[in-house]
Each structure stands twice: as C-alpha cells, then as structure tokens.
Amino acid sequence: MMTGISAFPSPATAPGTDATVVGENLSLPLFRSLSGVLAGHPYLKVVVDRTEHTWHLLDTAVHPFHVNYVATRILGMDLDELDARLDAFNASVYTDPGRRFLLGVLSLHADEDTEGRDRPFLVLETTEADTMDGPLLQEFYDFVRERVDGRLPLLLKPANHGQEAALAPVSDVTLPRILSHELFVSRPRTPLNTGEAIGRLRWFASLEEYRAHTADLGWSDVVAMDRLPDDVPRVAGFINAAPITPLSHTNVLASGWGIPNAIVRDMARLVESEELDGAWVRYRVQDDEVSLVRLPEVPELDEPAWHQQRIRLEPPLLEDVPVLELRRLRREDRDRYGTKAANLGELHHVLDSRTADLTAFYGHARPPRKDLYGHLASRLTASADPEALRRAASEFVAATVTAPDGVALPFALQHRFLISSPALQQGIGKLKMALELGATDALDPLCLSLQQLVRGTPVPEDVAARITGPFADRVCRKRLVVRSSSNAEDLPGFSAAGVYDSITTVHGTDELLDAVRQVWASLVSPRSVRLRHEAGISLDDTYMGVIVQEYAPAELGGVLVTCNPTRREDFRNVYINCTPGSPESVVDGSALPLQYLYNTVEGGGRTVDLGSSVTDLPSSARARLADLALTGRLLQSHFADDPGDPDDPLDIEWLMTEEGGFKLVQLRPYAL
C-alpha cells in the first residue's frame, strides 16, 4: 500500500451531491464547496440569467456542461431535445448578441504580496468559442463583481483573440483583466504528457552534473532538472523545473514513449525540503494535476513492457533507383526514400491534384452530432454539400500552403557507399556483434568510431555525381538544407524526434557531400543505435535516405500538432508554436516559442504563452496562423496513420515566407 507525503497537494474536490446555488453571493468557502479542478486550479461554472437578473453557481461534480444545465434545469428541456438541436442551442448562448444567458467560469488563483504571503484572486472567463463583445463582457464582469466577496480581487480573462480586440478600447480600471499568457506563466505546475510511473527520482542541478551521471541512468529512473536535453535516454519519467513547450523534442519523446512529463517550477525546493533526490516515488501526471508521492521502501518493479516491444519495419528496398524530385514521390515510396521524403512527395500530390478528401475529420461522428460538416462549411464560407465542401477544402489548403521543392536520395546510395569500403563493413560488423552479444559497454566507442569513419570515407565518384548532379548549376550559389529521411523514424511507437541530423547551412559541392555523410553517420550515433535496439529494430533493416533542398528564408518558423497535446480529449484545437526565423529553435528548445491554440470547429484562437518574446504577434499574423491551423486539420484527414481514424494527429514543421505564404517542410504522425 502506498504511503507518504504528497509533494503536490491538490485542491479540494467537489461534493458528490448537487449543491448548486441560485441567487446567493459568493464567498470563498462557498466557492470551495462547489468547485472542481481545472489545470491545477479550483474552478466553478456560473450562469447569469439576464431575464431573471440572477445567477446560478453550478455544482461542478453534477453539472459539467453549462448548456445541459441551462436547457434542463432552467428551460425544462430534456437531453434528447437538446441533443437534436445542440448546435443551434449553442449559438443561442455563445454567439447571439441578444442572448438571455451569460456563461462562464470562475477560477481561483494566488500570487504573493510584498511580504511573500499568498494573495488569492478570482479569474472570470467565458468559453473559448464565445463571441461576447466589449459591452457584454463589461456587463458580465459587473454582474459577477457585485456578487463576489469584495475582499477577493476579480479579473476578467479574454477567452480568445476576438475578445482581446473587443476589449482593447475598454479601460482596465473599469474592467480589470489578465491575459491567458500572463496567467499561464504563473502556473507552478503544468502537465505536458499524461502518465504514471514508479521510479527512483534523480535530480540534477546543472547540465554538467547530468552529463557526469548519464551512464548511470536506467529505465526505472525519473529524471528531474531545469530542462532535459534532447539526448536523454529512455527512462520512466521526466520533470522539468524550467518552462518548455509541449512540442519540444523531449516532450515528443515522452509522448511517443508513453511516460509522464510535466513542468514543476519549484522542483529544486521540493527536492531539498522532501529529500527526494534518490528517493523512490510514484509520479503521476493528469490533465489537471501533477502529483509526486515518496514511497516508504524500494518497490519490486516488473521489467517495462517496452523491453519486449518490437517495432516492425517494412523491408527496405535497395535496388538502384534514381535521385528524384520530391514532387515525384508518393507515400508508398517510403521503403526506398524514407518516410519524410515520401510524405513531402504525397503533399505535393495532394496540393497539385486536389483530388484527396480532406474533410474526413469533420465527417467523423461527435455524439450527439453526427458530423461537423456544418462547422467546416462555416470556417470555409462554403456550401455544406459534401462534394462542394471537399472541393472547397482542397482549394483552401492549396491556397494556404506550398510543399518544398528539392530532391530525395534513395537508400540505395547509402548502401552503395557502405559496401564501397571494407573498413566501413568491418566497423558495421563489430557493432552488430556487440548488439547481438549484449555488450552495451562497447556500444558508444564502436558507434563513435563508425560515425567518424562514415564522415571521413570518400564517396564513390558515381555516387557523388548523382548527389551533386541536380544542383550542378547552382550548388555554389545557393544555400542548401540537408535533412534525414530514414525508414526508422515517424513510426507508430517510435518517433525518433531529434535523433537524426539535419544540416541547414550547406554551400558548395564539398559541403553538400560532407552534409550527406553526416546525415548518414547519424544513423549509427550511440543514441540512435541504443533507441532502435531497445525497440527491437535491427541494424540490418535500418537505412537513411536524404532530402536536399534550397534554403528558404522565413519570417516565422514553427511546429503545429493537430491536437491539444495537454488535453487529449479536446478535438477542437490545434496547437501552434513559432519563433522568428527557422523552426529548429522551437524543436530543439534553444528558444521559448510563442504558443497558440486555434479552434478548428467553432473558430477563434488564443495566445497561450509569449515564450521568449516581449510582445504578441500582430493580429494579421495571428489570423494567418488560424488559416494554417485549419489547413493542418484538413491535411490530417489524408495523412492519418490509420485511414479509418481521421483523429490521428499530425506533427507539421512549417515556415512563413517573407511574402506571407506558408511552406510545410515536414509532416509526420504525432504520437499520443
């Protein structure tokens, strides 16, 4: 039985019986008696009835949805009647300027006063799809302010960019407010990837301390430090004490591995006060809570399931095939050119042919709705007729994004390079033998030696000519980007995010050949070999294709995933991260990006975090990101891992060019 101290206590939860209150003023004890927990904070749903000039404080445990309460408890409808006209009813309470009801949420937060004491305050917000204008938001705030304990500060949080714009001319004296990103950065704990683990907590105060002990880390460790490096080995759980984005490489790995990951800003203090370094703990990350409980004794742990996990690879095809332009590839070419190259070729086909059905996500039943076609028609300003909607979706995507030009080098070129050198063959043989014998201590030096050999071995003349041929007339004049495209990445259960090399500053023939060899060499890096071996992927079956493109300067670069990575049941939102320039700074964690959520059902977006930026993007750029978010959602219908499940999300790297258009540089499944 688990005992011990919870390092992260959760707020009181709601009672089990309906304690909904109508018309009373709200005190802090009453708030706590009715509240649930959302994003780690107590919260309470409120309904203001403008006709009756009263309000309803909903018992969160009994009434999780505003509209159900309004329909059944105030208007006397039954749920079947509500379900039959749910979208129309939602419009009447969320978008009708003359609406009777104002729906919102009160959440309880705390900051510190000048003497370091907790100072509680309340935040009022509407739902993300609500279109209240400035006067209606002021009325909502004033109504609630009059009925809340005057000792509690009350701030309004605009729920979307539209509300922020509507409140721009309104004084923050008459309507005190706080923005979403201001509230987000004050959160002491942020779930990144849900999961649970029992393990030994390892706290590292610096990267140097971590490097000194990396070899000691095992599958049962929970690693905690300011910000975990991208090359962290597979362990039981991650804890970051400094802010990171859910789209960082380490969180993509956590998602793919199915391990808990969270931001815990006061982790250093907790480690010291609870003596957690080296202690055995139960670590749990849920959508609304992060908990860490010290265990009284060393538990008996079964070997993790992934030790027996075996990832199946399709046999690589090594016959001599040509270097091809990306636009000539299709998805089925992944066994010759790698997954990245094949997906980019498929993207070219989707944009050029405009024949793919990009509406499947919206055709999926969302009970009680049979589909979301009406919402998509509204987003596209198009007819809801299925055929017309498919045409409109294809036209919208083709008008919003482009696919990058470039060429793909097949596995066959790497194979011919490897067999051209007896020394390379001998090095590969030694590495295979070490893997077969389980000689893990010998892996790192063997891999490093083999990488050095790959980078230093001359490329056969005929292979070199095929690599440089497509760029012969411009390779000395243009900056090139060389990217990995292996058959051992972007797989169900094995993402390999950040594992293989890409080089973005290549000039001239010699640098091009060096860059290709560096990408080939990343296939036998110590980390990539260990991760594949743990997943049961044979070295014999692993090959590296290469993508070569001309560098495209960008105003913005970033990553989007067609889901809300911190709330997996949310089917509405797409999550976008971006920074000025290249997306590499987003995925490698070198810069904290701007973070946005865009609703691709009802519309609207909101800023989650400004990251390292001082100000938000202008409204025109945010509107363009809304188009990109919808495009990602539409492409998800075609690129989903399982064609029968359009809910499988995508991970897309993108650039916004100086002309304001979007170029997609990578599409792959996003591991849930």
Side-chain angles (χ1 to χ4, degrees):
M1 180 176 179
M2 182 181 72
T3 60
I5 299 171
S6 174
F8 313 148
S10 61
T13 55
T17 57
D18 189 354
T20 296
V21 173
V22 180
E24 292 187 18
N25 287 351
L26 181 63
S27 63
L28 194 54
L30 178 58
F31 177 93
R32 291 190 182 279
S33 73
L34 296 172
S35 65
V37 179
L38 182 65
H41 297 283
Y43 80 103
L44 173 67
K45 292 182 182 293
V46 301
V47 174
V48 170
D49 187 336
R50 301 170 75 197
T51 299
E52 299 294 332
H53 200 67
T54 190
W55 71 337
H56 302 246
L57 308 176
L58 276 55
D59 182 341
T60 306
V62 179
H63 302 292
F65 302 108
H66 287 96
V67 291
N68 287 16
Y69 178 86
V70 170
T72 61
R73 297 291 292 270
I74 301 179
L75 300 179
M77 299 169 59
D78 61 44
L79 287 178
D80 289 340
E81 182 183 358
L82 173 63
D83 289 349
R85 60 186 195 96
L86 182 59
D87 288 331
F89 190 86
N90 281 344
S92 73
V93 294
Y94 292 128
T95 63
D96 185 351
R99 69 191 75 174
R100 172 180 170 182
F101 301 103
L102 307 179
L103 313 184
V105 171
L106 279 167
S107 54
L108 182 64
H109 303 259
D111 58 14
E112 291 185 353
D113 63 18
T114 55
E115 298 180 5
R117 295 171 300 194
D118 280 348
R119 184 181 72 101
F121 65 95
L122 289 171
V123 172
L124 174 67
E125 63 182 302
T126 70
T127 66
E128 65 185 56
D130 201 299
T131 60
M132 283 191 204
D133 60 12
L136 209 50
L137 287 167
Q138 183 76 63
E139 178 187 336
F140 191 26
Y141 175 86
D142 291 343
F143 190 101
V144 174
R145 175 70 279 178
E146 290 175 5
R147 291 160 178 80
V148 170
D149 187 333
R151 293 169 295 180
L152 283 173
L154 176 67
L155 304 175
L156 179 82
K157 184 178 82 170
N160 49 53
H161 292 144
Q163 288 188 1
E164 288 182 25
L167 290 175
V170 179
S171 166
D172 57 7
V173 175
T174 59
L175 207 168
R177 51 192 177 268
I178 188 169
L179 299 180
S180 294
H181 63 82
E182 294 171 330
L183 203 57
F184 179 81
V185 298
S186 68
R187 293 173 62 178
R189 294 168 192 113
T190 303
L192 294 173
N193 193 65
T194 57
E196 181 175 339
I198 294 176
R200 180 181 56 158
L201 192 135
R202 306 289 302 277
W203 166 253
F204 301 108
S206 67
L207 183 60
E208 291 73 23
E209 185 180 334
Y210 166 83
R211 295 293 183 205
H213 294 86
T214 303
D216 302 331
L217 294 177
W219 58 264
S220 59
D221 289 328
V222 175
V223 180
M225 57 191 297
D226 269 358
R227 186 175 293 123
L228 279 81
D230 284 354
D231 61 358
V232 62
R234 190 164 187 169
V235 292
F238 297 159
I239 300 176
N240 297 270
I244 66 167
T245 166
L247 302 189
S248 66
H249 273 152
T250 52
N251 198 54
V252 173
L253 290 173
S255 180
W257 291 341
I259 62 174
N261 186 20
I263 300 169
V264 181
R265 296 191 182 223
D266 55 348
M267 192 66 205
R269 179 187 63 79
L270 289 167
V271 167
E272 182 177 356
S273 64
E274 304 287 346
E275 298 182 346
L276 292 176
D277 188 23
W280 286 86
V281 298
R282 182 185 298 276
Y283 173 40
R284 178 182 294 140
V285 177
Q286 300 170 290
D287 284 340
D288 301 322
E289 185 180 4
V290 179
S291 63
L292 188 68
V293 177
R294 181 171 181 155
L295 303 180
E297 57 187 28
V298 178
E300 293 184 9
L301 297 179
D302 295 328
E303 192 175 70
W306 58 265
H307 270 205
Q308 288 79 43
Q309 178 188 23
R310 291 297 177 260
I311 302 297
R312 180 177 176 271
L313 286 186
E314 294 293 331
L317 302 178
L318 303 177
E319 74 270 22
D320 191 17
V321 293
V323 173
L324 286 182
E325 291 184 355
L326 288 173
R327 65 176 60 253
R328 295 180 59 189
L329 299 182
R330 295 293 298 275
R331 195 168 0 186
E332 53 267 26
D333 289 314
R334 61 184 177 271
D335 298 332
R336 295 176 176 84
Y337 296 88
T339 307
K340 283 183 189 174
N343 281 349
L344 288 177
E346 187 72 15
L347 176 62
H348 272 285
H349 171 74
V350 167
L351 298 179
D352 293 342
S353 70
R354 305 187 189 185
T355 58
D357 180 7
L358 304 181
T359 67
F361 174 87
Y362 291 87
H364 200 57
R366 314 282 173 182
R369 304 173 181 88
K370 66 176 183 178
D371 58 58
L372 298 174
Y373 285 142
H375 289 280
L376 178 59
S378 178
R379 302 281 71 75
L380 297 176
T381 318
S383 165
D385 172 73
E387 185 57 38
L389 201 54
R390 283 194 287 272
R391 288 196 302 271
S394 292
E395 295 292 337
F396 178 84
V397 168
T400 305
V401 301
T402 60
D405 291 325
V407 300
L409 311 183
F411 300 155
L413 291 187
Q414 185 208 18
H415 177 65
R416 290 180 62 182
F417 168 74
L418 294 175
I419 63 175
S420 72
S421 166
L424 284 173
Q425 290 297 295
Q426 185 179 31
I428 293 170
K430 289 180 180 179
L431 180 56
K432 288 168 58 178
M433 181 65 70
L435 291 169
E436 291 170 5
L437 296 177
T440 55
D441 291 343
L443 286 183
D444 285 13
L446 285 173
C447 289
L448 293 172
S449 175
L450 185 53
Q451 281 192 285
Q452 185 175 2
L453 192 59
V454 170
R455 289 191 290 262
T457 298
V459 179
E461 288 185 8
D462 61 328
V463 175
R466 292 176 62 182
I467 293 172
T468 60
F471 302 94
D473 62 339
R474 49 189 169 168
V475 72
C476 295
R477 297 184 285 109
K478 297 287 188 177
R479 175 178 168 182
L480 301 176
V481 176
V482 178
R483 303 181 187 276
S484 64
S485 181
S486 170
N487 66 333
E489 60 185 322
D490 303 339
L491 302 169
F494 191 80
S495 75
V499 171
Y500 305 121
D501 287 350
S502 293
I503 300 91
T504 61
T505 54
V506 178
H507 296 86
T509 302
D510 291 341
E511 286 189 14
L512 175 57
L513 292 175
D514 288 344
V516 170
R517 281 180 296 192
Q518 184 174 332
V519 172
W520 284 342
S522 68
L523 197 67
V524 290
S525 70
R527 183 168 181 245
S528 69
V529 169
R530 286 181 181 275
L531 289 176
R532 291 195 307 270
H533 185 63
E534 289 170 353
I537 298 175
S538 169
L539 188 61
D540 285 334
D541 293 335
T542 309
Y543 278 85
M544 180 66 76
V546 179
I547 299 169
V548 184
Q549 302 160 289
E550 290 187 8
Y551 172 77
E555 290 290 311
L556 283 176
V559 180
L560 72 82
V561 292
T562 57
C563 65
N564 181 349
T566 62
R567 189 167 294 277
R568 302 301 173 83
E569 74 278 6
D570 175 6
F571 63 85
R572 289 175 163 81
N573 283 291
V574 163
Y575 199 78
I576 291 181
N577 283 189
C578 62
T579 58
S582 164
E584 274 78 10
S585 59
V586 173
V587 295
D588 67 15
S590 61
L592 288 175
L594 294 134
Q595 301 178 41
Y596 300 94
L597 279 169
Y598 283 94
N599 184 329
T600 59
V601 177
E602 289 89 1
R606 61 189 187 274
T607 304
V608 176
D609 191 3
L610 294 183
S612 303
S613 300
V614 178
T615 59
D616 204 347
L617 293 174
S619 58
S620 58
R622 296 199 306 256
R624 294 289 292 130
L625 291 181
D627 290 343
L628 178 65
L630 181 55
T631 294
R633 177 70 81 202
L634 293 169
L635 289 173
Q636 175 181 332
S637 296
H638 183 74
F639 284 91
D641 259 351
D642 179 358
D645 185 3
D647 281 355
D648 285 350
L650 290 183
D651 175 342
I652 299 174
E653 289 186 23
W654 55 271
L655 304 171
M656 189 172 80
T657 65
E658 295 172 341
E659 294 76 28
F662 291 107
K663 188 183 294 290
L664 306 188
V665 297
Q666 181 172 303
L667 298 90
R668 61 185 175 191
Y670 181 73
L672 284 175

